[in-house]
Amino acid sequence: MLAFIGGTGLTRMANLEITARHDITTRFGKPSAPVLEGELEGQKVLFLARHGDPHILLPHQVNYRANLVALKEAGASAIVAANAVGGITDQAPTGALVLPDQIIDYTYGREMTLFDDLAEPLVHVDFSWPFDAALRNALKVELSASSLSWTDGGCYAATQGPRLETAAEIARLERDGCDIVGMTGMPEAVLARELELPYAMLSLVVNPAAGKSTHEITMAEIEAVIHDGMASVCQLLADFARQYSPA
């Protein structure tokens, strides 16, 4: 079953007809919210609010391990994760969607693996290409058919948060080759890989990153873009659910 993880601005999917709520407790604890099962454009899907419902969890407080394991236990076979990001390079203008193909992890102190039980074998997963190619290609087809502004490819910088970055930090990320910056891409992406769940990320650029505009970043500015942009993301995901066929 296709699963969606909703980030900032996508705590609920207005077009999801909920048929079941899975209140799952994993060996890593409880996820951010119950896993919702429902009908989206006639297709059965799962949905999980990354930051809780209501939105109460900061990026470093999210129990990513419980979230991913709960989705797997609820029947997820592939995951599309939506998130709000800052734009660093010209290929990530405010209001556009980015379908990243790479990620650099700058987080620290987060639980990064499911394989930390000394009674279990140690596993090192290949993470050369962090996002599933087939799932990304399917999303590209849907994005190409839409009227939305979007970019194919880009590197996502996963920072710790919850504060926004300094201009010097953004300059460093750009030198490292990053195009967008967010706070939730890791360890979410690698945990999906450990669970052998195809995973792709759909990132809405909600503001120019620090030092990339002539004015101070304000939450009012970000929230205005999120309001309109996440509504478009929600509809795109519904259209995608109708067309997507898991391998």
Side-chain angles (χ1 to χ4, degrees):
M1 199 180 335
L2 181 61
F4 298 120
I5 297 177
T8 300
L10 194 60
T11 299
R12 301 177 184 178
M13 296 189 79
N15 46 357
L16 177 65
E17 297 179 15
I18 300 170
T19 57
R21 296 175 185 265
H22 301 281
D23 193 3
I24 297 169
T25 300
T26 75
R27 72 183 180 95
F28 301 106
K30 295 185 73 66
S32 300
V35 177
L36 303 181
E37 182 176 340
E39 298 278 338
L40 190 64
E41 296 291 332
Q43 302 299 314
K44 287 183 65 176
V45 301
L46 299 172
F47 177 78
L48 176 63
R50 182 187 290 118
H51 298 279
D53 183 10
H55 182 134
I56 57 172
L57 297 171
L58 296 171
H60 68 287
Q61 295 173 326
V62 173
N63 189 338
Y64 295 95
R65 297 195 296 180
N67 283 358
L68 273 293
V69 170
L71 284 170
K72 178 87 170 184
E73 291 183 5
S77 58
I79 297 173
V80 176
N83 47 35
V85 299
I88 298 175
T89 61
D90 291 342
Q91 71 180 65
T94 299
L97 290 168
V98 176
L99 192 62
D101 58 359
Q102 275 298 332
I103 193 165
I104 299 178
D105 186 10
Y106 300 93
T107 67
Y108 51 87
R110 301 186 184 188
E111 301 290 351
M112 298 299 296
T113 181
L114 304 173
F115 303 115
D116 60 354
D117 189 333
L118 295 179
E120 296 180 356
L122 179 64
V123 177
H124 297 284
V125 295
D126 177 63
F127 205 51
S128 302
W129 304 99
F131 304 112
D132 183 77
L135 191 55
R136 284 190 74 256
N137 286 337
L139 281 165
K140 284 195 287 185
V141 170
E142 197 62 48
L143 284 161
S144 296
S146 76
S147 60
L148 300 175
S149 173
W150 68 286
T151 297
D152 177 17
C155 184
Y156 176 108
T159 58
Q160 181 70 1
R163 66 169 178 83
L164 299 180
E165 299 74 29
T166 68
E169 287 169 334
I170 292 299
R172 173 202 174 192
L173 299 184
E174 186 169 16
R175 289 193 298 272
D176 285 352
C178 299
D179 299 287
I180 54 178
V181 57
M183 302 174 190
T184 57
M186 288 293 286
E188 192 172 274
V190 73
L191 295 173
R193 179 63 53 85
E194 289 187 345
L195 288 166
E196 298 183 339
L197 285 171
Y199 175 97
M201 186 184 291
L202 190 60
S203 301
L204 172 67
V205 183
V206 299
N207 63 278
K212 294 296 178 177
S213 66
T214 57
H215 60 279
E216 182 179 332
I217 299 170
T218 67
M219 288 309 300
E221 174 188 15
I222 292 173
E223 288 167 0
V225 179
I226 286 176
H227 180 269
D228 295 333
M230 282 303 178
S232 298
V233 169
C234 198
Q235 184 57 55
L236 179 79
L237 295 180
D239 295 338
F240 179 70
R242 189 173 61 249
Q243 301 294 332
Y244 179 70
S245 298

